[in-house]
Amino acid sequence: MRFYQSRKEFIRNLSLLVGASAIPGSLFASSGKVAGSKMKLGLVTYLWAKDWDIPTIIKNCSETQVLGVELRVEHAHGVNFNMTAAERAEVKKKFNDSPVEIVGMGTNEEYHSPDPAVLKKHIENTRKWLELSRDIGGSGVKVKPNAFPDGVSKEKTLEQIGKALNEIGKMALDMGQQIRLEVHGRETQQLPNIKTMMDYVENKGATVCWNCNDQDLDGQGLEYNFNLVKDKFGDICHVRELNVGDYPYQELMDLFVKIDYPGWILLECRTNPADKVAAMKEQRQVWENMIEKAQAKL
């Protein structure tokens, strides 16, 4: 049995305890045996944190108890695969000395191009992002399908993307990482197409990142589309503001709780509030309430 904690685990658990004490009825007060209690709330640096450096990200995430972060590439934090070994180690140490976890890198790598040289370049870049994520203490890399090229059958494109995912999934496993395929792109974001891509994957290194698109409701609806890919879920899901718009977030959280999802729910918010720290606190409270409602239904 394991009777010790790392410094990072101690800091994170203490931070969660202190933060939860200020939240009446917090799910963190549960014994951990209730379905859905293993889910965690994090942040994508897409818009709300695009201008924050690493110390600011850590400070704001710690204050709001949003204790995981997917670092979107090409943003102010400056984390990219051109960093030296020393720079990577410095980033890793900053997060290790905090309660905030690097969930991984959010990239724009895609695999639909009919040009073999372009496809090869994206696969090679993915390898570099995986190495970076490993070196800074992350656990995976987000990639995306993005389009159906003109003049190429959809079936051929889906097969090409799927086989590329199989290749980079093997890379990820070799590095102790995970590929996270964001449900993304015109038509490619339709869940039957995502399922077809993943049917070509023969390893557990490539997974699906649910992305809360309107297209999730197409066809037979949210639950049907959720079930198409739930066995392929990785450890992240992207959501927008949980209390903005018509997307059925409560129903989605019900589904995640029902399968006892153990991963990160990452805020990839689109609005531009003046006080983003206050907005993060609000989103955390909304999310806590949704999880409690979902658990109560069980």
Side-chain angles (χ1 to χ4, degrees), residues 227-267:
N227 289 336
L228 282 179
V229 295
K230 69 180 181 182
D231 292 338
K232 301 292 185 179
F233 283 157
D235 53 6
I236 70 169
C237 161
H238 288 170
V239 298
R240 318 299 169 235
E241 293 84 342
L242 296 165
N243 54 351
V244 175
D246 299 325
Y247 192 90
Y249 283 111
Q250 183 63 64
E251 183 181 351
L252 179 66
M253 292 304 120
D254 292 351
L255 292 170
F256 273 122
V257 167
K258 187 176 180 180
I259 65 172
D260 197 15
Y261 182 65
W264 289 95
I265 305 299
L266 299 178
L267 297 166

mmCIF file of all heavy atoms in Angstrom, residues 227-267:
data_model
loop_
_atom_site.group_PDB
_atom_site.id
_atom_site.type_symbol
_atom_site.label_atom_id
_atom_site.label_comp_id
_atom_site.label_asym_id
_atom_site.label_seq_id
_atom_site.Cartn_x
_atom_site.Cartn_y
_atom_site.Cartn_z
ATOM 1 N N ASN A 227 -23.125 7.867 -26.754
ATOM 2 C CA ASN A 227 -22.869 6.430 -26.656
ATOM 3 C C ASN A 227 -22.036 5.891 -27.821
ATOM 4 O O ASN A 227 -21.360 4.867 -27.672
ATOM 5 C CB ASN A 227 -24.182 5.662 -26.554
ATOM 6 C CG ASN A 227 -24.868 5.860 -25.214
ATOM 7 O OD1 ASN A 227 -24.215 6.178 -24.212
ATOM 8 N ND2 ASN A 227 -26.187 5.686 -25.180
ATOM 9 N N LEU A 228 -22.070 6.593 -28.967
ATOM 10 C CA LEU A 228 -21.264 6.149 -30.112
ATOM 11 C C LEU A 228 -19.779 6.127 -29.795
ATOM 12 O O LEU A 228 -19.040 5.286 -30.311
ATOM 13 C CB LEU A 228 -21.501 7.074 -31.315
ATOM 14 C CG LEU A 228 -22.773 6.913 -32.128
ATOM 15 C CD1 LEU A 228 -22.788 7.955 -33.257
ATOM 16 C CD2 LEU A 228 -22.912 5.506 -32.702
ATOM 17 N N VAL A 229 -19.344 7.062 -28.941
ATOM 18 C CA VAL A 229 -17.901 7.220 -28.729
ATOM 19 C C VAL A 229 -17.478 7.120 -27.265
ATOM 20 O O VAL A 229 -16.298 7.277 -26.949
ATOM 21 C CB VAL A 229 -17.407 8.573 -29.297
ATOM 22 C CG1 VAL A 229 -17.563 8.604 -30.810
ATOM 23 C CG2 VAL A 229 -18.137 9.747 -28.653
ATOM 24 N N LYS A 230 -18.401 6.851 -26.365
ATOM 25 C CA LYS A 230 -18.052 6.889 -24.936
ATOM 26 C C LYS A 230 -16.965 5.888 -24.575
ATOM 27 O O LYS A 230 -16.184 6.128 -23.646
ATOM 28 C CB LYS A 230 -19.292 6.678 -24.073
ATOM 29 C CG LYS A 230 -19.892 5.280 -24.142
ATOM 30 C CD LYS A 230 -21.127 5.175 -23.246
ATOM 31 C CE LYS A 230 -21.723 3.777 -23.281
ATOM 32 N NZ LYS A 230 -22.945 3.688 -22.446
ATOM 33 N N ASP A 231 -16.890 4.785 -25.298
ATOM 34 C CA ASP A 231 -15.847 3.791 -25.009
ATOM 35 C C ASP A 231 -14.474 4.249 -25.490
ATOM 36 O O ASP A 231 -13.463 3.607 -25.188
ATOM 37 C CB ASP A 231 -16.194 2.449 -25.660
ATOM 38 C CG ASP A 231 -17.415 1.797 -25.016
ATOM 39 O OD1 ASP A 231 -17.721 2.138 -23.852
ATOM 40 O OD2 ASP A 231 -18.064 0.969 -25.669
ATOM 41 N N LYS A 232 -14.443 5.348 -26.244
ATOM 42 C CA LYS A 232 -13.182 5.887 -26.762
ATOM 43 C C LYS A 232 -12.762 7.170 -26.036
ATOM 44 O O LYS A 232 -11.764 7.778 -26.414
ATOM 45 C CB LYS A 232 -13.314 6.184 -28.260
ATOM 46 C CG LYS A 232 -13.672 4.971 -29.116
ATOM 47 C CD LYS A 232 -12.541 3.960 -29.157
ATOM 48 C CE LYS A 232 -12.868 2.819 -30.122
ATOM 49 N NZ LYS A 232 -11.763 1.833 -30.188
ATOM 50 N N PHE A 233 -13.524 7.588 -25.030
ATOM 51 C CA PHE A 233 -13.182 8.824 -24.331
ATOM 52 C C PHE A 233 -11.799 8.726 -23.697
ATOM 53 O O PHE A 233 -11.417 7.690 -23.158
ATOM 54 C CB PHE A 233 -14.195 9.130 -23.216
ATOM 55 C CG PHE A 233 -15.494 9.683 -23.699
ATOM 56 C CD1 PHE A 233 -16.637 9.573 -22.917
ATOM 57 C CD2 PHE A 233 -15.607 10.323 -24.920
ATOM 58 C CE1 PHE A 233 -17.850 10.082 -23.336
ATOM 59 C CE2 PHE A 233 -16.818 10.839 -25.358
ATOM 60 C CZ PHE A 233 -17.940 10.714 -24.560
ATOM 61 N N GLY A 234 -11.076 9.854 -23.780
ATOM 62 C CA GLY A 234 -9.836 9.963 -23.046
ATOM 63 C C GLY A 234 -10.101 10.630 -21.714
ATOM 64 O O GLY A 234 -11.163 10.439 -21.108
ATOM 65 N N ASP A 235 -9.160 11.470 -21.282
ATOM 66 C CA ASP A 235 -9.303 12.055 -19.954
ATOM 67 C C ASP A 235 -9.610 13.547 -19.983
ATOM 68 O O ASP A 235 -9.438 14.231 -18.980
ATOM 69 C CB ASP A 235 -8.062 11.788 -19.105
ATOM 70 C CG ASP A 235 -6.773 12.216 -19.785
ATOM 71 O OD1 ASP A 235 -6.847 12.832 -20.873
ATOM 72 O OD2 ASP A 235 -5.691 11.935 -19.242
ATOM 73 N N ILE A 236 -10.097 14.071 -21.139
ATOM 74 C CA ILE A 236 -10.542 15.460 -21.159
ATOM 75 C C ILE A 236 -11.825 15.601 -21.972
ATOM 76 O O ILE A 236 -12.087 14.832 -22.898
ATOM 77 C CB ILE A 236 -9.478 16.442 -21.713
ATOM 78 C CG1 ILE A 236 -9.270 16.249 -23.223
ATOM 79 C CG2 ILE A 236 -8.166 16.316 -20.963
ATOM 80 C CD1 ILE A 236 -8.449 17.357 -23.867
ATOM 81 N N CYS A 237 -12.613 16.600 -21.590
ATOM 82 C CA CYS A 237 -13.790 17.045 -22.335
ATOM 83 C C CYS A 237 -13.762 18.559 -22.340
ATOM 84 O O CYS A 237 -13.411 19.181 -21.336
ATOM 85 C CB CYS A 237 -15.060 16.539 -21.654
ATOM 86 S SG CYS A 237 -16.578 17.415 -22.121
ATOM 87 N N HIS A 238 -14.102 19.179 -23.466
ATOM 88 C CA HIS A 238 -14.181 20.637 -23.556
ATOM 89 C C HIS A 238 -15.626 21.090 -23.421
ATOM 90 O O HIS A 238 -16.516 20.524 -24.061
ATOM 91 C CB HIS A 238 -13.640 21.128 -24.896
ATOM 92 C CG HIS A 238 -12.162 21.018 -25.034
ATOM 93 N ND1 HIS A 238 -11.510 21.229 -26.237
ATOM 94 C CD2 HIS A 238 -11.185 20.730 -24.135
ATOM 95 C CE1 HIS A 238 -10.210 21.070 -26.075
ATOM 96 N NE2 HIS A 238 -9.991 20.762 -24.798
ATOM 97 N N VAL A 239 -15.855 22.122 -22.611
ATOM 98 C CA VAL A 239 -17.178 22.732 -22.494
ATOM 99 C C VAL A 239 -17.038 24.239 -22.666
ATOM 100 O O VAL A 239 -15.963 24.802 -22.480
ATOM 101 C CB VAL A 239 -17.836 22.428 -21.126
ATOM 102 C CG1 VAL A 239 -18.042 20.937 -20.936
ATOM 103 C CG2 VAL A 239 -17.020 23.017 -19.967
ATOM 104 N N ARG A 240 -18.125 24.913 -23.051
ATOM 105 C CA ARG A 240 -18.155 26.373 -23.052
ATOM 106 C C ARG A 240 -18.735 26.832 -21.699
ATOM 107 O O ARG A 240 -18.840 26.049 -20.778
ATOM 108 C CB ARG A 240 -19.002 26.924 -24.194
ATOM 109 C CG ARG A 240 -18.827 26.234 -25.528
ATOM 110 C CD ARG A 240 -17.436 26.295 -26.106
ATOM 111 N NE ARG A 240 -17.381 25.373 -27.245
ATOM 112 C CZ ARG A 240 -16.521 24.388 -27.399
ATOM 113 N NH1 ARG A 240 -15.572 24.205 -26.509
ATOM 114 N NH2 ARG A 240 -16.580 23.586 -28.432
ATOM 115 N N GLU A 241 -19.171 28.076 -21.624
ATOM 116 C CA GLU A 241 -19.811 28.527 -20.400
ATOM 117 C C GLU A 241 -21.051 27.671 -20.132
ATOM 118 O O GLU A 241 -21.931 27.553 -20.983
ATOM 119 C CB GLU A 241 -20.217 30.001 -20.520
ATOM 120 C CG GLU A 241 -19.049 30.961 -20.602
ATOM 121 C CD GLU A 241 -18.467 31.137 -21.989
ATOM 122 O OE1 GLU A 241 -18.719 30.290 -22.876
ATOM 123 O OE2 GLU A 241 -17.773 32.137 -22.210
ATOM 124 N N LEU A 242 -21.108 27.092 -18.965
ATOM 125 C CA LEU A 242 -22.145 26.115 -18.648
ATOM 126 C C LEU A 242 -23.518 26.738 -18.451
ATOM 127 O O LEU A 242 -24.526 26.022 -18.443
ATOM 128 C CB LEU A 242 -21.739 25.342 -17.388
ATOM 129 C CG LEU A 242 -20.466 24.502 -17.547
ATOM 130 C CD1 LEU A 242 -19.946 24.069 -16.179
ATOM 131 C CD2 LEU A 242 -20.719 23.296 -18.440
ATOM 132 N N ASN A 243 -23.564 28.050 -18.281
ATOM 133 C CA ASN A 243 -24.844 28.742 -18.058
ATOM 134 C C ASN A 243 -25.144 29.751 -19.163
ATOM 135 O O ASN A 243 -25.875 30.718 -18.956
ATOM 136 C CB ASN A 243 -24.842 29.444 -16.700
ATOM 137 C CG ASN A 243 -23.645 30.375 -16.513
ATOM 138 O OD1 ASN A 243 -22.722 30.380 -17.328
ATOM 139 N ND2 ASN A 243 -23.656 31.164 -15.446
ATOM 140 N N VAL A 244 -24.580 29.535 -20.335
ATOM 141 C CA VAL A 244 -24.805 30.414 -21.486
ATOM 142 C C VAL A 244 -25.247 29.558 -22.671
ATOM 143 O O VAL A 244 -24.646 28.517 -22.949
ATOM 144 C CB VAL A 244 -23.529 31.195 -21.859
ATOM 145 C CG1 VAL A 244 -23.748 32.015 -23.129
ATOM 146 C CG2 VAL A 244 -23.090 32.102 -20.711
ATOM 147 N N GLY A 245 -26.274 29.993 -23.380
ATOM 148 C CA GLY A 245 -26.700 29.285 -24.580
ATOM 149 C C GLY A 245 -27.659 28.151 -24.296
ATOM 150 O O GLY A 245 -28.136 27.960 -23.173
ATOM 151 N N ASP A 246 -27.951 27.371 -25.347
ATOM 152 C CA ASP A 246 -28.976 26.335 -25.286
ATOM 153 C C ASP A 246 -28.421 24.923 -25.208
ATOM 154 O O ASP A 246 -29.197 23.957 -25.196
ATOM 155 C CB ASP A 246 -29.885 26.432 -26.530
ATOM 156 C CG ASP A 246 -30.613 27.774 -26.620
ATOM 157 O OD1 ASP A 246 -30.964 28.310 -25.549
ATOM 158 O OD2 ASP A 246 -30.801 28.274 -27.740
ATOM 159 N N TYR A 247 -27.102 24.778 -25.194
ATOM 160 C CA TYR A 247 -26.557 23.415 -25.151
ATOM 161 C C TYR A 247 -26.999 22.727 -23.849
ATOM 162 O O TYR A 247 -26.940 23.340 -22.776
ATOM 163 C CB TYR A 247 -25.034 23.443 -25.233
ATOM 164 C CG TYR A 247 -24.423 22.077 -25.477
ATOM 165 C CD1 TYR A 247 -24.216 21.619 -26.776
ATOM 166 C CD2 TYR A 247 -24.092 21.245 -24.418
ATOM 167 C CE1 TYR A 247 -23.676 20.360 -27.009
ATOM 168 C CE2 TYR A 247 -23.550 19.981 -24.642
ATOM 169 C CZ TYR A 247 -23.347 19.548 -25.941
ATOM 170 O OH TYR A 247 -22.819 18.289 -26.166
ATOM 171 N N PRO A 248 -27.436 21.452 -23.925
ATOM 172 C CA PRO A 248 -27.980 20.765 -22.731
ATOM 173 C C PRO A 248 -26.874 20.248 -21.794
ATOM 174 O O PRO A 248 -26.652 19.045 -21.654
ATOM 175 C CB PRO A 248 -28.779 19.614 -23.349
ATOM 176 C CG PRO A 248 -28.060 19.296 -24.629
ATOM 177 C CD PRO A 248 -27.576 20.631 -25.148
ATOM 178 N N TYR A 249 -26.196 21.187 -21.140
ATOM 179 C CA TYR A 249 -25.066 20.798 -20.291
ATOM 180 C C TYR A 249 -25.473 19.910 -19.128
ATOM 181 O O TYR A 249 -24.720 19.018 -18.729
ATOM 182 C CB TYR A 249 -24.329 22.039 -19.791
ATOM 183 C CG TYR A 249 -23.439 22.648 -20.833
ATOM 184 C CD1 TYR A 249 -23.739 23.878 -21.409
ATOM 185 C CD2 TYR A 249 -22.284 21.987 -21.269
ATOM 186 C CE1 TYR A 249 -22.925 24.440 -22.377
ATOM 187 C CE2 TYR A 249 -21.470 22.545 -22.238
ATOM 188 C CZ TYR A 249 -21.793 23.768 -22.788
ATOM 189 O OH TYR A 249 -20.988 24.314 -23.751
ATOM 190 N N GLN A 250 -26.645 20.154 -18.559
ATOM 191 C CA GLN A 250 -27.058 19.292 -17.445
ATOM 192 C C GLN A 250 -27.214 17.852 -17.919
ATOM 193 O O GLN A 250 -26.774 16.912 -17.243
ATOM 194 C CB GLN A 250 -28.366 19.786 -16.825
ATOM 195 C CG GLN A 250 -28.814 18.965 -15.615
ATOM 196 C CD GLN A 250 -27.829 19.039 -14.470
ATOM 197 O OE1 GLN A 250 -27.598 20.103 -13.899
ATOM 198 N NE2 GLN A 250 -27.235 17.901 -14.107
ATOM 199 N N GLU A 251 -27.813 17.675 -19.089
ATOM 200 C CA GLU A 251 -27.961 16.327 -19.631
ATOM 201 C C GLU A 251 -26.599 15.698 -19.896
ATOM 202 O O GLU A 251 -26.379 14.507 -19.633
ATOM 203 C CB GLU A 251 -28.788 16.354 -20.916
ATOM 204 C CG GLU A 251 -29.048 14.970 -21.499
ATOM 205 C CD GLU A 251 -29.843 14.990 -22.799
ATOM 206 O OE1 GLU A 251 -30.353 16.079 -23.168
ATOM 207 O OE2 GLU A 251 -29.952 13.935 -23.434
ATOM 208 N N LEU A 252 -25.660 16.497 -20.399
ATOM 209 C CA LEU A 252 -24.317 15.976 -20.643
ATOM 210 C C LEU A 252 -23.650 15.549 -19.336
ATOM 211 O O LEU A 252 -23.045 14.474 -19.257
ATOM 212 C CB LEU A 252 -23.465 17.025 -21.348
ATOM 213 C CG LEU A 252 -22.023 16.606 -21.632
ATOM 214 C CD1 LEU A 252 -21.969 15.463 -22.645
ATOM 215 C CD2 LEU A 252 -21.198 17.801 -22.135
ATOM 216 N N MET A 253 -23.752 16.389 -18.295
ATOM 217 C CA MET A 253 -23.159 16.016 -17.016
ATOM 218 C C MET A 253 -23.838 14.779 -16.438
ATOM 219 O O MET A 253 -23.190 13.938 -15.807
ATOM 220 C CB MET A 253 -23.243 17.180 -16.026
ATOM 221 C CG MET A 253 -22.365 18.373 -16.413
ATOM 222 S SD MET A 253 -20.609 17.967 -16.629
ATOM 223 C CE MET A 253 -20.379 18.440 -18.359
ATOM 224 N N ASP A 254 -25.153 14.649 -16.661
ATOM 225 C CA ASP A 254 -25.846 13.431 -16.236
ATOM 226 C C ASP A 254 -25.205 12.203 -16.882
ATOM 227 O O ASP A 254 -24.997 11.172 -16.217
ATOM 228 C CB ASP A 254 -27.318 13.479 -16.638
ATOM 229 C CG ASP A 254 -28.125 14.537 -15.882
ATOM 230 O OD1 ASP A 254 -27.586 15.123 -14.924
ATOM 231 O OD2 ASP A 254 -29.288 14.776 -16.284
ATOM 232 N N LEU A 255 -24.895 12.311 -18.172
ATOM 233 C CA LEU A 255 -24.304 11.177 -18.891
ATOM 234 C C LEU A 255 -22.900 10.874 -18.387
ATOM 235 O O LEU A 255 -22.526 9.706 -18.222
ATOM 236 C CB LEU A 255 -24.280 11.473 -20.398
ATOM 237 C CG LEU A 255 -25.641 11.533 -21.089
ATOM 238 C CD1 LEU A 255 -25.504 12.084 -22.509
ATOM 239 C CD2 LEU A 255 -26.290 10.151 -21.114
ATOM 240 N N PHE A 256 -22.117 11.915 -18.129
ATOM 241 C CA PHE A 256 -20.766 11.694 -17.621
ATOM 242 C C PHE A 256 -20.800 11.064 -16.227
ATOM 243 O O PHE A 256 -20.008 10.170 -15.914
ATOM 244 C CB PHE A 256 -19.984 13.008 -17.594
ATOM 245 C CG PHE A 256 -19.281 13.329 -18.876
ATOM 246 C CD1 PHE A 256 -19.542 14.515 -19.559
ATOM 247 C CD2 PHE A 256 -18.350 12.456 -19.422
ATOM 248 C CE1 PHE A 256 -18.884 14.815 -20.743
ATOM 249 C CE2 PHE A 256 -17.690 12.745 -20.611
ATOM 250 C CZ PHE A 256 -17.959 13.927 -21.276
ATOM 251 N N VAL A 257 -21.702 11.544 -15.384
ATOM 252 C CA VAL A 257 -21.811 10.961 -14.044
ATOM 253 C C VAL A 257 -22.268 9.511 -14.135
ATOM 254 O O VAL A 257 -21.760 8.635 -13.413
ATOM 255 C CB VAL A 257 -22.772 11.801 -13.179
ATOM 256 C CG1 VAL A 257 -23.162 11.050 -11.906
ATOM 257 C CG2 VAL A 257 -22.127 13.136 -12.827
ATOM 258 N N LYS A 258 -23.187 9.234 -15.028
ATOM 259 C CA LYS A 258 -23.721 7.875 -15.178
ATOM 260 C C LYS A 258 -22.628 6.879 -15.518
ATOM 261 O O LYS A 258 -22.651 5.721 -15.059
ATOM 262 C CB LYS A 258 -24.799 7.870 -16.268
ATOM 263 C CG LYS A 258 -25.542 6.549 -16.403
ATOM 264 C CD LYS A 258 -26.659 6.673 -17.432
ATOM 265 C CE LYS A 258 -27.411 5.360 -17.582
ATOM 266 N NZ LYS A 258 -28.502 5.479 -18.594
ATOM 267 N N ILE A 259 -21.624 7.295 -16.325
ATOM 268 C CA ILE A 259 -20.530 6.378 -16.663
ATOM 269 C C ILE A 259 -19.356 6.529 -15.695
ATOM 270 O O ILE A 259 -18.309 5.913 -15.889
ATOM 271 C CB ILE A 259 -20.041 6.574 -18.119
ATOM 272 C CG1 ILE A 259 -19.403 7.953 -18.324
ATOM 273 C CG2 ILE A 259 -21.173 6.326 -19.101
ATOM 274 C CD1 ILE A 259 -18.730 8.120 -19.683
ATOM 275 N N ASP A 260 -19.542 7.350 -14.665
ATOM 276 C CA ASP A 260 -18.500 7.600 -13.660
ATOM 277 C C ASP A 260 -17.203 8.049 -14.333
ATOM 278 O O ASP A 260 -16.124 7.514 -14.081
ATOM 279 C CB ASP A 260 -18.246 6.345 -12.816
ATOM 280 C CG ASP A 260 -17.507 6.661 -11.519
ATOM 281 O OD1 ASP A 260 -17.435 7.846 -11.138
ATOM 282 O OD2 ASP A 260 -16.980 5.711 -10.894
ATOM 283 N N TYR A 261 -17.326 9.053 -15.182
ATOM 284 C CA TYR A 261 -16.187 9.580 -15.934
ATOM 285 C C TYR A 261 -15.124 10.100 -14.967
ATOM 286 O O TYR A 261 -15.422 10.893 -14.070
ATOM 287 C CB TYR A 261 -16.663 10.698 -16.859
ATOM 288 C CG TYR A 261 -15.590 11.295 -17.733
ATOM 289 C CD1 TYR A 261 -14.974 10.537 -18.716
ATOM 290 C CD2 TYR A 261 -15.205 12.631 -17.590
ATOM 291 C CE1 TYR A 261 -13.995 11.088 -19.533
ATOM 292 C CE2 TYR A 261 -14.238 13.192 -18.397
ATOM 293 C CZ TYR A 261 -13.631 12.415 -19.368
ATOM 294 O OH TYR A 261 -12.664 12.960 -20.167
ATOM 295 N N PRO A 262 -13.857 9.696 -15.147
ATOM 296 C CA PRO A 262 -12.813 10.092 -14.201
ATOM 297 C C PRO A 262 -11.933 11.242 -14.667
ATOM 298 O O PRO A 262 -10.914 11.535 -14.042
ATOM 299 C CB PRO A 262 -11.977 8.807 -14.097
ATOM 300 C CG PRO A 262 -12.028 8.242 -15.498
ATOM 301 C CD PRO A 262 -13.414 8.593 -16.027
ATOM 302 N N GLY A 263 -12.307 11.892 -15.775
ATOM 303 C CA GLY A 263 -11.395 12.854 -16.390
ATOM 304 C C GLY A 263 -11.672 14.308 -16.048
ATOM 305 O O GLY A 263 -12.418 14.653 -15.131
ATOM 306 N N TRP A 264 -11.041 15.172 -16.857
ATOM 307 C CA TRP A 264 -11.141 16.625 -16.697
ATOM 308 C C TRP A 264 -12.256 17.192 -17.552
ATOM 309 O O TRP A 264 -12.366 16.868 -18.743
ATOM 310 C CB TRP A 264 -9.841 17.294 -17.128
ATOM 311 C CG TRP A 264 -8.688 17.075 -16.214
ATOM 312 C CD1 TRP A 264 -7.712 16.119 -16.321
ATOM 313 C CD2 TRP A 264 -8.359 17.843 -15.048
ATOM 314 N NE1 TRP A 264 -6.809 16.235 -15.295
ATOM 315 C CE2 TRP A 264 -7.179 17.292 -14.492
ATOM 316 C CE3 TRP A 264 -8.943 18.942 -14.429
ATOM 317 C CZ2 TRP A 264 -6.581 17.805 -13.353
ATOM 318 C CZ3 TRP A 264 -8.359 19.445 -13.284
ATOM 319 C CH2 TRP A 264 -7.183 18.890 -12.751
ATOM 320 N N ILE A 265 -13.066 18.057 -16.964
ATOM 321 C CA ILE A 265 -14.007 18.892 -17.700
ATOM 322 C C ILE A 265 -13.321 20.251 -17.831
ATOM 323 O O ILE A 265 -13.130 20.963 -16.837
ATOM 324 C CB ILE A 265 -15.353 19.027 -16.967
ATOM 325 C CG1 ILE A 265 -15.947 17.646 -16.658
ATOM 326 C CG2 ILE A 265 -16.316 19.877 -17.795
ATOM 327 C CD1 ILE A 265 -16.249 16.795 -17.882
ATOM 328 N N LEU A 266 -12.929 20.611 -19.049
ATOM 329 C CA LEU A 266 -12.099 21.795 -19.263
ATOM 330 C C LEU A 266 -12.922 22.943 -19.853
ATOM 331 O O LEU A 266 -13.570 22.788 -20.890
ATOM 332 C CB LEU A 266 -10.941 21.462 -20.210
ATOM 333 C CG LEU A 266 -9.961 20.383 -19.733
ATOM 334 C CD1 LEU A 266 -8.895 20.125 -20.804
ATOM 335 C CD2 LEU A 266 -9.288 20.783 -18.419
ATOM 336 N N LEU A 267 -12.868 24.086 -19.202
ATOM 337 C CA LEU A 267 -13.581 25.281 -19.659
ATOM 338 C C LEU A 267 -12.852 25.911 -20.845
ATOM 339 O O LEU A 267 -11.735 26.391 -20.707
ATOM 340 C CB LEU A 267 -13.667 26.298 -18.523
ATOM 341 C CG LEU A 267 -14.460 25.878 -17.279
ATOM 342 C CD1 LEU A 267 -14.174 26.835 -16.130
ATOM 343 C CD2 LEU A 267 -15.958 25.815 -17.583
#
